[in-house]
Amino acid sequence: MSCADLVPATGTVHWIGAGLSTGSGLTDLCERAARVRVWHRTADRAAEALDRLGLAGRAEPRTYTLDALTAELAPGDVVVSMLPAPEHAPLLAACVARRAHFACSSYVSDAVLERVPAAEEAGVVVLTEAGLDPGIDHLFAHDLVARARDAVGADKAASYRLTSYCGGVPAVPNDFRYRFSWAPLGVLNALRSPARYIEDGTETVADRPWEATRGHVVDGETFEVYPNRDSVPFVEQYGLPAAWRPRTFVRGTLRLDGWLTAWAPVFEELKAGDDTRIAALARELAATYPTTDADRDRVVLAVSLTVDDGEGDNSAAWSGSYLLDLVGDERESAMARCVSRTLALGVRHVLAGDLPPGLNRAAETAARSAGWLGELAAEGLEFTLKVDG
């Protein structure tokens, strides 16, 4: 389907959910979009969120139900989902039926993927993985791979090591070595999911990801990192040359040094507990370690790529790394800033008609990655690039 079939954007944005990850990205859209409606559990809760962000009177608060939203959707509107990932597919189905565009910061689920062909036929953009992780991590990786390809040559035999670690942690370390920046049950269930990655040139699976935790030094500071989800498909997604052999390829989670010890009782529960017990544990952890307005979070995202000649025996031909290290303030958390600003940037490109119908991740190409990184930097999102070779 050609870009001529794209449904023109109306300029109206529907922001669904105003929880922990809603930050200044919503402010940006209130300044740039023709109309913004914020949908939350109740209209009063939506109004409270707008007031907290200094946006009272600049967006229309709404009580969210799928039926209520669908009734207000017009062709070319943009729906931004901040809802849990399982709720994306029915929301996308409503968007396709109304020929409205869809955007979220989550990974592409199978349920969402099933609806992409219908979205493409309807001229609807489906923007995904446009947050922090996934999102900015993809931008960093695509840009590093492009730089390495230019420096080393895509047809030259080589080996490489790519690591991408991201974490939200307390700005002031606590005994628990963690601060919940998303639902505790989601954190626990992620730890219960096996992780697949490449280590020493071999695909490896960690049934309990935390058991693969190791030390990792970032800018002189020691953290603990472990793999999560399935890293292997991103070898192709990031455009790594077929002539290069992966020695290490892992996308994972970053935690403060000491996290593995502090969480030992939690891991014992994860090994023994069923779904009911884990759900109860999530509630207990939320009550024991609440997030308060006085807390300050810190986001650390470290992506590095090293390309070696031949077998990679101390013969690095090129290396590069990106580092994002931000602390939240009284206006918004670092997590909310990173997720919402990146998502808002993607929505602006949907509004501008820059993305084609069908599935779009934040970083489909190196050129888009470089462009979006430039835009994020110009808007004050701070990160650093180091290149050697």
Side-chain angles (χ1 to χ4, degrees):
M1 178 167 286
S2 69
C3 287
D5 297 306
L6 175 71
V7 177
T10 60
T12 295
V13 174
H14 302 265
W15 187 280
I16 317 298
L20 292 176
S21 293
T22 293
S24 56
L26 180 56
T27 304
D28 175 82
L29 290 177
C30 285
E31 294 173 351
R32 300 171 185 261
R35 168 182 283 180
V36 176
R37 293 173 179 148
V38 174
W39 300 75
H40 208 31
R41 292 186 184 92
T42 67
D44 287 344
R45 292 286 297 275
E48 290 171 7
L50 290 170
D51 187 58
R52 172 173 53 84
L53 293 167
L55 297 175
R58 298 173 62 186
E60 303 168 21
R62 292 286 196 276
T63 297
Y64 175 72
T65 67
L66 186 57
D67 288 343
L69 170 70
T70 302
E72 291 201 32
L73 283 183
D77 285 0
V78 182
V79 170
V80 181
S81 177
M82 304 297 285
L83 300 176
E87 297 187 46
H88 291 337
L91 189 54
L92 175 56
C95 288
V96 172
R98 294 288 182 167
R99 302 187 72 208
H101 305 296
F102 174 86
C104 71
S105 61
S106 300
Y107 286 99
V108 183
S109 67
D110 290 341
V112 166
L113 202 57
E114 290 175 0
R115 289 164 171 78
V116 167
E120 189 170 359
E121 290 177 8
V124 167
V125 175
V126 181
L127 174 64
T128 65
E129 301 183 17
L132 168 63
D133 171 15
I136 299 176
D137 58 340
H138 292 345
L139 302 177
F140 285 172
H142 270 280
D143 191 66
L144 289 174
V145 171
R147 292 171 184 271
R149 288 172 66 104
D150 289 344
V152 176
D155 297 327
K156 182 177 181 180
S159 61
Y160 65 87
R161 291 160 284 162
L162 188 150
T163 61
S164 177
Y165 293 113
C166 183
V169 300
V172 178
N174 55 20
D175 291 341
F176 195 48
R177 315 303 287 174
Y178 188 67
R179 174 188 187 275
F180 286 107
S181 56
W182 58 304
L185 184 57
V187 175
L188 297 181
N189 281 334
L191 285 165
R192 299 170 77 195
S193 302
R196 186 168 69 127
Y197 56 104
I198 297 172
E199 185 174 40
D200 296 327
T202 303
E203 286 191 16
T204 303
V205 175
D207 290 328
R208 297 169 176 164
W210 70 85
E211 293 181 348
T213 299
R214 63 188 62 189
H216 188 68
V217 178
V218 178
D219 200 28
E221 183 177 356
T222 299
F223 295 91
E224 294 178 349
V225 296
Y226 61 91
N228 65 14
R229 303 181 67 96
D230 188 355
S231 297
V232 176
F234 291 92
V235 171
E236 179 178 357
Q237 185 172 317
Y238 289 166
L240 284 146
W244 297 2
R245 185 168 64 88
R247 296 176 65 84
T248 300
F249 189 96
V250 57
R251 302 177 70 254
T253 299
L254 176 147
R255 296 288 182 250
L256 290 177
D257 192 28
W259 170 81
L260 192 65
T261 299
W263 275 55
V266 176
F267 300 142
E268 290 304 311
E269 293 265 23
L270 293 179
K271 287 190 285 187
D274 58 15
D275 289 347
T276 300
R277 173 56 195 145
I278 299 309
L281 176 61
R283 292 191 294 271
E284 293 166 14
L285 291 175
T288 305
Y289 304 101
T291 298
T292 71
D293 291 340
D295 292 335
R296 295 291 175 263
D297 72 326
R298 178 186 179 194
V299 165
V300 180
L301 168 59
V303 182
S304 65
L305 172 64
T306 298
V307 182
D308 302 318
D309 290 325
E311 293 303 307
D313 298 325
N314 298 316
S315 55
W318 186 92
S319 64
S321 62
Y322 271 104
L323 173 61
L324 181 153
D325 190 347
L326 297 178
V327 173
D329 55 30
E330 66 279 359
R331 295 171 297 175
E332 65 178 333
S333 69
M335 185 68 68
R337 183 182 183 196
C338 291
V339 172
S340 69
R341 295 293 297 195
T342 309
L343 187 52
L345 172 61
V347 172
R348 279 164 30 204
H349 282 283
V350 175
L351 291 172
D354 296 338
L355 303 181
L359 182 64
N360 292 264
R361 294 177 175 88
E364 295 286 0
T365 65
R368 184 191 296 175
S369 297
W372 283 30
L373 286 174
E375 290 179 89
L376 289 171
E379 294 169 10
L381 196 67
E382 298 176 1
F383 49 83
T384 58
L385 167 66
K386 294 182 179 178
V387 173
D388 182 14

